[in-house]
Amino acid sequence: MHLFLIIALLIVVSALYSYINARWLKLPGTIGITSLAISGSIITIIVDKADPNIARYLTLLAKNINFSTTVLNILLGFLLFASAFNLDTRKLKKQVRPILVLTTVGVILSTAVFGTLLYWISGLIDIKIPYVYCLLFGALVSPTDPVAVSAIVTGSRLPNNLETIISGESLFNDGIGLVLFITLLEVVQSGSDNVNFGSAVLLFVREVFGGIALGAVTGFLAFRLMKSIDDFQTIVLVSMALVMINSLVAYYLHLSIPLAVVTAGLFAGGRSINVDRNDRSHQALEKFWTLLDELLNTMLFVMIGLQMVNFPFLQHYWFVGVIGIVIILAARWCSIMLPLTFLRRSLNVNYNSINILTWAGLRGGISIALALSLPQSDYRHLILAGTYFIVIFSIIVQGLTLNKVINAIYKNHVVD
């Protein structure tokens, strides 16, 4: 299919689903669009079996989009940068300690708990999955989705400190989760007997700290460039170039793209680029990135729904999907409970917040993209199907009920 036709169809379908949701369903954008896209995929599959010509273009659209490459190499950088650029860095600094712990210890602990529980339960039900593949599965579903989370918690009764923690954690744990996934994938491909743990640790450190250093340097330089001019068109181009430069350099130097663009976004957006009081360039730039974020977010969740057309094997793995949903919730709870026990004063919250932080762990496009990037093996379809079930459950079920959980716990809290 021609590239222009793919883009045109994707935008048309996204506009249609977005209009239907805004006009009739009136659900939060992420949930409504994903639900419509899944419904559209189911209808497409049914119609395609009856008459392939009727659903031809929607089927071709789903099958011609390289979801993994599109998300990991194109959309992810822009989405993470937009979220980081608009994040209040003053609030982030106050909660930096719990965010740092949850994005490192939390992701690693969640991966370990998920992998261990899956290995144990799969053995009980006679589904043989090697332990390293269980950990790999855990690594790709442990990161939470910053786009889905921020869109849903906005306007709820969630205290400011918890909202900052949830937003900051979901921004940074994508990078940690991706690095952990790559490290475990190296173990899978090399074989557990041939693993050099020193090299694996070095790879992890290089990806994490190299990505952060790259983002800090380029973000600071871009901030100085944008602050030195007052031409808004040029300012926008510099900010977009910043995302692309970080993505390209991080890709070729084997650094973490998510951590690079998030750090660059925080450095570029943390202080105002306004030259004087009458210049509103920074506010306009924030609105530009908010709009771009919403547009790309819409297309991303349309693509998530369309992926069902490419997964005809889902019906064979629904039981694994259900088990995966239960295990990831348990792993998420454990990965928050331990840090929260030691950081109660820093978090300034009570233990009821464990339920909120657990239920706010929405998964999104990066998990599916990582699952699709897995090499062919006897366990690829199982992991891919389980990931899809977890992502859809988290977006629709957790997303629809998250605000109810928040408002029930903080029913007497006044939103600032």
Side-chain angles (χ1 to χ4, degrees), residues 115-155:
T116 303
L117 287 177
L118 179 62
Y119 181 73
W120 178 66
I121 293 175
S122 62
L124 292 178
I125 58 177
D126 203 28
I127 299 177
K128 304 299 181 184
I129 311 174
Y131 186 57
V132 67
Y133 276 94
C134 294
L135 291 175
L136 193 65
F137 191 177
L140 62 88
V141 293
S142 288
T144 55
D145 185 80
V147 180
V149 171
S150 61
I152 292 170
V153 300
T154 301

Side-chain angles (χ1 to χ4, degrees), residues 7-32:
I7 296 173
L9 282 174
L10 180 59
I11 291 176
V12 169
V13 172
S14 299
L16 176 63
Y17 289 161
S18 186
Y19 178 82
I20 292 173
N21 183 56
R23 182 71 175 82
W24 290 293
L25 295 184
K26 302 185 185 300
L27 293 171
T30 297
I31 301 169

